[in-house]
Amino acid sequence: MLIDRIKYYAGILKRISWREIEILLSRPVYLLGIVIAPLVCCALFLPLMRSGLPQRIPTGIVDLDKSATSRNLVRNLNSLETLEVVSQPNSFTEAREAVQKGVIFGFLIIPEGFEAKALSGRQPEISYYTNNAYFIPGALLFKGFKTMTILSSGQVTLQTKLAKGEYEYQIMPQLQPVSYDAVALGNPWLNYSIYLNNSLLPGMLHLMVLLMTCFCIGQEVKRRTAREWLAESGNSIILAITGKLLPQTLLFSLTGTFCLSLMYGYMKFPHVNGFLPMIAAMVMMVVAAQSVGVIIMSFVPSLRVGLSVAGLYGVLSLSLAGFTFPTEAMYEPLRIFSEIIPLRHYFLIYSGQALNGIPFHYSILQYFYLFTFFAASLPLLKRLKLAVLRQNYVP
């Protein structure tokens, strides 16, 4: 009896799934949203940030001192791998105009009398300006300028004390009383591609899953084929939704796994605990995002409104998942909202398993949270069934 019932349900799922496959093959928009759009994002972002960290950012030096010390400072600054001195304007005005034209991203001003003041201990001031409209180049230039000016200050102090007869072993503890060793965990190369692509690519896939889920359900209502779809499932909304979304689940999971293989295999991104935890997280994120799409359509069973809500939710997910700003520092309502975003829990699994390599059992809670999105959609299927039976499409 049980075996016959299982075969019966399996036959219904097979019939609904084949019906959905025919729809997928007949509508190019499905192929575009499920396969082409995520792969285009991979083809665009992975090569774009292949170098990892921007190198040789164009910068300028306004040397008003023209001394040996100032020229040495320019040479030292140009030796940094992140900077390249491509311009030496004669004034602040020329340098500012070069920044406005996009020739350079920042500049440093060495004032007149720099060498004389430095050697006499009168604390000359060095000014530097960065264009933070371009955040990454501006931040790297600021870091390079600050590092080099501190080192130059120490070098001047060293030379002055040496000229007074002190020994280097006596001077160095004064210049740097405490030495430190900075180690970047998880991403020691400071590779921006590792940081950005592991958030952007799953984020784009998460958005497309939401949109495609709402689109395929909304299309049934719009085209007035919802009752036919429900009838083929034996009037079971659970079988209807499962059969409809199963082909998309498989395609999205394969697409997501292919993106992961590009990042962790071809691009050699760190994945300390192996490939399997991230594949499991990707599949569960796809199912969780589909469940969110079902929840949205249960409350707003309209193609237009459903896509709008899904788009808004998906775009906000990129900002509130904690990729670029810690959720602990967000306003309380936003922090709470971040917990109902599947992408947030995928990111926590990624940072724990791939980057930090923590034991697997510490991430079990995040996998459970992804499962709760699926469980949360089940009580709302009755509401969705009523909307499907009404077939009231509002253009």
Side-chain angles (χ1 to χ4, degrees):
M1 185 70 177
L2 179 61
I3 296 177
D4 292 339
R5 185 169 291 273
I6 292 175
K7 289 182 178 180
Y8 171 73
Y9 290 146
I12 292 177
L13 283 177
K14 181 179 179 182
R15 186 165 63 249
I16 297 296
S17 297
W18 275 112
R19 177 180 181 273
E20 185 63 21
I21 291 173
E22 291 176 357
I23 296 175
L24 294 179
L25 295 177
S26 64
R27 300 293 302 277
V29 66
Y30 286 105
L31 180 63
L32 176 65
I34 298 174
V35 179
I36 296 179
L39 295 184
V40 167
C41 290
C42 289
L44 177 64
F45 290 123
L46 289 177
L48 182 65
M49 293 180 279
R50 188 179 183 87
S51 60
L53 188 69
Q55 304 288 332
R56 314 305 295 169
I57 300 172
T59 187
I61 301 293
V62 181
D63 186 1
L64 301 178
D65 191 47
K66 307 295 184 182
S67 63
T69 302
S70 67
R71 288 192 292 271
N72 185 53
L73 175 59
V74 174
R75 286 193 296 270
N76 290 336
L77 189 65
N78 204 28
S79 66
L80 295 176
E81 63 179 9
T82 56
L83 311 181
E84 182 178 6
V85 179
V86 299
S87 174
Q88 295 196 31
N90 296 317
S91 65
F92 169 82
T93 302
E94 290 185 18
R96 177 177 57 79
E97 291 175 351
V99 171
Q100 291 174 335
K101 293 177 181 177
V103 177
I104 57 178
F105 289 91
F107 59 93
L108 182 144
I109 299 179
I110 303 175
E112 293 184 25
F114 170 75
E115 183 179 57
K117 291 181 179 180
L119 295 178
S120 61
R122 287 183 288 165
Q123 291 185 322
E125 293 184 358
I126 293 180
S127 303
Y128 42 87
Y129 303 82
T130 57
N131 185 2
N132 282 346
Y134 302 93
F135 179 74
I136 293 178
L140 291 176
L141 280 182
F142 179 83
K143 179 181 178 182
F145 287 154
K146 186 174 182 180
T147 300
M148 190 50 61
T149 51
I150 292 174
L151 292 177
S152 298
S153 176
Q155 184 180 14
V156 170
T157 303
L158 176 63
Q159 295 299 325
T160 303
K161 289 182 177 292
L162 286 174
K164 292 181 180 180
E166 297 186 34
Y167 293 100
E168 186 172 343
Y169 72 87
Q170 297 173 317
I171 302 171
M172 292 308 297
Q174 301 176 34
L175 294 178
Q176 191 178 20
V178 178
S179 61
Y180 65 93
D181 184 18
V183 180
L185 299 177
N187 185 8
W189 314 275
L190 300 180
N191 189 327
Y192 275 83
S193 184
I194 293 175
Y195 163 66
L196 290 174
N197 282 318
N198 277 292
S199 58
L200 285 176
L201 296 182
M204 294 302 298
L205 187 70
H206 176 263
L207 175 61
M208 297 312 302
V209 173
L210 285 168
L211 293 175
M212 288 295 102
T213 301
C214 293
F215 180 79
C216 71
I217 297 175
Q219 279 289 301
E220 297 286 357
V221 178
K222 179 181 178 180
R223 293 175 174 271
R224 300 189 182 279
T225 57
R227 292 177 182 172
E228 173 192 337
W229 163 48
L230 192 61
E232 289 193 16
S233 65
N235 207 36
S236 170
I237 188 64
I238 295 179
L239 293 176
I241 285 292
T242 303
K244 173 170 279 294
L245 296 183
L246 186 58
Q248 293 191 31
T249 303
L250 295 175
L251 288 175
F252 272 122
S253 298
L254 289 174
T255 303
T257 302
F258 179 73
C259 293
L260 292 179
S261 67
L262 289 178
M263 291 190 290
Y264 301 135
Y266 179 69
M267 301 294 292
K268 306 297 182 183
F269 287 179
H271 51 296
V272 181
N273 283 354
F275 203 41
L276 291 180
M278 295 312 302
I279 293 179
M282 176 61 70
V283 174
M284 294 190 70
M285 185 194 74
V286 168
V287 175
Q290 288 180 318
S291 300
V292 172
V294 171
I295 293 173
I296 292 173
M297 295 304 294
S298 298
F299 285 104
V300 283
S302 166
L303 178 62
R304 176 175 54 85
V305 180
L307 286 176
S308 299
V309 174
L312 178 62
Y313 179 91
V315 171
L316 286 177
S317 299
L318 293 170
S319 302
L320 301 178
F323 296 138
T324 55
F325 190 81
T327 59
E328 293 78 8
M330 295 178 183
Y331 291 115
E332 189 67 16
L334 297 180
R335 188 190 64 78
I336 295 173
F337 180 78
S338 71
E339 296 298 325
I340 59 172
I341 297 175
L343 193 60
R344 164 69 178 164
H345 303 288
Y346 173 87
F347 172 68
L348 292 176
I349 293 172
Y350 157 71
S351 61
Q353 296 299 307
L355 278 185
N356 298 320
I358 63 177
F360 182 77
H361 63 268
Y362 285 109
S363 296
I364 289 293
L365 185 60
Q366 306 306 324
Y367 288 99
F368 174 76
Y369 283 152
L370 289 176
F371 175 78
T372 58
F373 287 96
F374 167 75
S377 65
L378 296 179
L380 297 172
L381 291 180
K382 184 177 180 181
R383 181 185 179 94
L384 179 62
K385 181 179 180 179
L386 294 176
V388 166
L389 290 173
R390 292 193 187 102
Q391 292 191 148
N392 292 329
Y393 172 67
V394 180

